[in-house]
Amino acid sequence: MATHLALDPDLLERALQVSGERTKKAAVTKALQEFIARREQRRLLELLGKLEWDPAFDYKAERLRT
């Protein structure tokens, strides 16, 4: 899908440098992938301390169930 964006040329050049990618498209794709991954990680961190764990739960026994 073709998309036309007005990107800050200085940011794009810096993204090319720090990413090690050879093309603008590859640098932008990598930046978007990392952005998404970071946001998903943040959502997981927000769950810390909010979930109740059963100390008697045997996760290894669950692996053996068929």
Side-chain angles (χ1 to χ4, degrees):
M1 166 176 66
T3 302
H4 299 280
L5 301 171
L7 301 174
D8 182 326
D10 295 331
L11 285 176
L12 189 52
E13 185 59 36
R14 184 73 177 128
L16 278 166
Q17 290 172 357
V18 300
S19 70
E21 296 294 338
R22 298 177 68 190
T23 66
K24 293 175 184 178
K25 177 182 177 181
V28 170
T29 298
K30 181 177 263 187
L32 288 171
Q33 290 168 337
E34 291 180 10
F35 174 81
I36 291 165
R38 185 165 291 143
R39 291 295 171 109
E40 289 174 343
Q41 289 171 355
R42 185 183 299 167
R43 274 190 252 139
L44 289 175
L45 287 174
E46 290 171 358
L47 291 175
L48 285 177
K50 294 182 180 178
L51 301 176
E52 294 182 25
W53 298 100
D54 180 2
F57 179 71
D58 185 0
Y59 68 92
K60 290 184 180 179
E62 291 295 316
R63 290 181 186 165
L64 301 175
R65 287 183 4 164
T66 55

